[in-house]
Each structure stands twice: as structure tokens, then as C-alpha cells.
Amino acid sequence: MQVESRRYGRVWFGHLLEISMSLSSLILTIANAGATCASLSRGQIVAAAGYYFGYWFSYRRA
């Protein structure tokens, strides 16, 4: 996003704004990846707990 102006400062601000927007997009991408990883980890924990409970329940009843 190029901000055209007669002043040099506004063009520089436009570059800073563009860099800031790119960094915020990168941060959101990293946060999304972290949330996905945490969700998968929770799913594995729930699956393992369910497997253990099923094993315990079926062999304790016998």
C-alpha cells in the first residue's frame, strides 16, 4: 500500500503501515497454527482417555 504525498513522512508512514499489516497477518497465522496444534493435542488426550476407560471398563466387568 503506497501512500502518495508531497511529504516524505507520509510515504514512510505508509511503508510502516504496510509492514505492520504484514506482521499482524503473520502473528495471526502463527496463533492459528498454535490453536490447531492445541486442539489436536486435546483430541489425542480425549481419545487416549476414552481408550483407557473402555479397556478398564470391559476388563473390570469380567
Side-chain angles (χ1 to χ4, degrees):
M1 172 193 315
Q2 178 84 16
V3 178
E4 294 185 17
S5 171
R6 291 184 183 185
R7 290 188 190 169
Y8 181 72
R10 289 193 181 180
V11 175
W12 175 244
F13 177 75
H15 289 297
L16 286 178
L17 184 61
E18 184 177 345
I19 291 169
S20 170
M21 289 168 53
S22 297
L23 287 177
S24 65
S25 176
L26 177 66
I27 290 170
L28 286 175
T29 302
I30 292 171
N32 192 12
T36 302
C37 192
S39 176
L40 290 174
S41 177
R42 279 192 299 265
Q44 288 177 343
I45 291 170
V46 168
Y51 177 80
Y52 177 76
F53 177 75
Y55 177 83
W56 177 83
F57 186 74
S58 63
Y59 284 102
R60 287 293 252 177
R61 293 182 63 200

